Amino acid sequence: MTGTSLDGVDVVLSRLAPKIEIRAAVTVPFPAGLHRRIAAVGPDTPLHTVTTLDAELAAIYADAVNAVLKDSGLTPIDIIAIGCHGQTVWHAPDRNPPITVQLGDPNLLAERTGITVVADFRRRDLAAGGQGAPLAPAFHAALFSRQDETRVVVNIGGMANLTVLPASGSGAVTGFDTGPGNVLMDIWVEQCRSLAFDEDGRWAASGAVIPALLDQLQREPYFSLPPPKSTGRETFNAHWLDTALANHGNAAPEHVQATLAELTAVTIADAIRRHAMGCQRVLLSGGGARNAYLRARIAANLAGIPVEPTDLHGVSADWVEGVGFAWLAGETLAGRSGNIPAVTGARHPVVLGAIYQGKPIA
């Protein structure tokens, strides 16, 4: 899994049955400068640049997989499949025609590992009229649902998305992207302090929320759209942030960071209040789950509802997405649907992804 945080490749070696078991997990950082090259990709990027990144990412994925196998004492023959989400560089499901683009050539990945690859998960849902995202809710439902408790799983990567898991008989599983997760905070701390991220939210915690800026940020039309909906760096990016800050040029940088953290917390909490009535527990995954200040702000905006990492419920918050795409690959190989139409807006359930065979046919 590589997500909108653009920080590296999460590789999770997992057994899915009879229960989910993580055998090994590692994050392989991107080479220096790669995240900027990926972030710069847009609809006008030359095809040569895009295809070069496509192959380069596949090579990085393959090296990461092969390294994990070597460290685990396993060989490609021990692995049923690789579930590869790929790196999203453009996601515009509301265009005509709808578009979603993930890089990391699965042909090269299969060739360089000798393992069957399941990839291109999003476009079949798009073809069926869906948003192509979020796709984690089916996995969240399989892993975290409880008959006696309504839960919300919130994944905080570059963007944030939630899954509503009603207690038995109290409704259907739903979910959507709430908006920015870490992306704006990461952009700002890199711009101001040349850091990849604000560790534990300490810089944000040193500042104070700017009410006028927070109010301006919350006016973004995406926040008021009804689900199903999904978003990405096409909306929430450095240009979006610069435009918002144009009238706040004298604000102290740490106050801006505190405000960006509050935006993530408030939009997550507001989405839960509006769309997860009766929520009894919030489970956090993704890099944002490790940000103590952000966790505290989400909890403060959801007074009375426990907010805790998925570590307390069987899977480390760091690896939920990686395991999720392994699980989706298993559903694809079994011929079972992996989308939830109530989440993505698709007309019907579909089997997600394409299968790229590993070992050459003799």
Side-chain angles (χ1 to χ4, degrees):
M1 176 70 196
T2 56
T4 49
S5 289
L6 304 179
D7 51 357
V9 186
D10 290 343
V11 182
V12 183
L13 177 61
S14 58
R15 185 188 299 276
L16 301 180
K19 65 177 183 177
I20 291 175
E21 171 193 350
I22 295 178
R23 294 281 300 274
V26 65
T27 296
V28 179
F30 278 157
L34 180 60
H35 80 285
R36 292 188 182 90
R37 292 165 55 208
I38 295 171
V41 173
D44 299 321
T45 302
L47 189 57
H48 172 73
T49 301
V50 175
T51 53
T52 298
L53 279 172
D54 192 36
E56 188 174 343
L57 282 164
I60 293 169
Y61 296 165
D63 288 346
V65 168
N66 288 331
V68 168
L69 290 183
K70 182 178 179 180
D71 290 345
S72 303
L74 299 176
T75 66
I77 200 169
D78 298 312
I79 307 301
I80 294 172
I82 298 168
C84 181
H85 173 269
Q87 179 64 61
T88 298
V89 293
W90 195 252
H91 184 70
D94 296 319
R95 288 197 171 193
N96 186 18
I99 298 168
T100 188
V101 180
Q102 286 75 43
L103 301 183
D105 184 358
N107 298 283
L108 285 174
L109 180 56
E111 185 68 23
R112 295 192 182 199
T113 60
I115 301 170
T116 293
V117 174
V118 183
D120 194 15
F121 287 95
R122 298 193 182 277
R123 288 197 296 173
R124 183 59 192 275
D125 183 83
L126 231 64
Q131 291 275 313
L135 296 182
F139 172 64
H140 292 162
L143 186 61
F144 297 121
S145 288
R146 294 294 180 269
Q147 291 188 345
D148 60 347
E149 184 175 73
T150 293
R151 296 176 162 188
V152 172
V153 180
V154 181
N155 179 73
I156 309 175
M159 302 300 150
N161 59 73
L162 63 75
T163 303
V164 182
L165 302 175
S168 180
S170 62
V173 173
T174 57
F176 55 92
D177 290 351
T178 62
N182 303 313
V183 62
L184 300 177
M185 292 182 284
D186 289 351
I187 289 170
W188 188 242
V189 77
E190 181 179 27
Q191 181 176 324
C192 296
R193 309 188 78 184
S194 299
L195 297 173
F197 62 98
D198 180 11
E199 187 169 359
D200 244 356
R202 286 193 284 266
W203 192 41
S206 73
V209 172
I210 305 169
L213 176 58
L214 180 62
D215 179 69
Q216 180 180 344
L217 296 173
Q218 287 183 276
R219 293 176 195 164
E220 160 61 42
Y222 179 81
F223 297 129
S224 59
L225 290 176
K229 60 180 180 177
S230 59
T231 191
R233 284 177 176 264
E234 301 74 32
T235 298
F236 298 104
N237 51 42
H239 175 71
W240 186 89
L241 180 56
D242 289 344
T243 300
L245 292 175
N247 297 324
H248 302 272
N250 295 323
E254 65 272 21
H255 297 341
V256 173
Q257 186 75 349
T259 306
L260 296 177
E262 192 70 8
L263 176 69
T264 294
V266 165
T267 51
I268 288 171
D270 183 60
I272 291 172
R273 283 192 297 267
R274 291 170 60 192
H275 300 284
M277 296 292 293
C279 173
Q280 296 164 275
R281 190 176 307 274
V282 175
L283 280 57
L284 300 182
S285 67
R290 303 306 187 205
N291 183 324
Y293 178 73
L294 182 59
R295 287 200 313 270
R297 293 311 306 152
I298 294 170
N301 280 281
L302 290 171
I305 300 176
V307 177
E308 52 202 31
T310 57
D311 303 56
L312 302 180
H313 301 272
V315 177
S316 166
D318 299 320
W319 311 124
V320 170
E321 275 203 302
V323 178
F325 278 94
W327 185 87
L328 282 170
E331 296 301 283
T332 300
L333 293 173
R336 293 188 291 263
S337 62
N339 67 333
I340 298 179
V343 171
T344 67
R347 291 183 292 272
H348 49 75
V350 292
V351 177
L352 300 174
I355 300 170
Y356 300 78
Q357 294 294 334
K359 293 288 186 185
I361 299 173

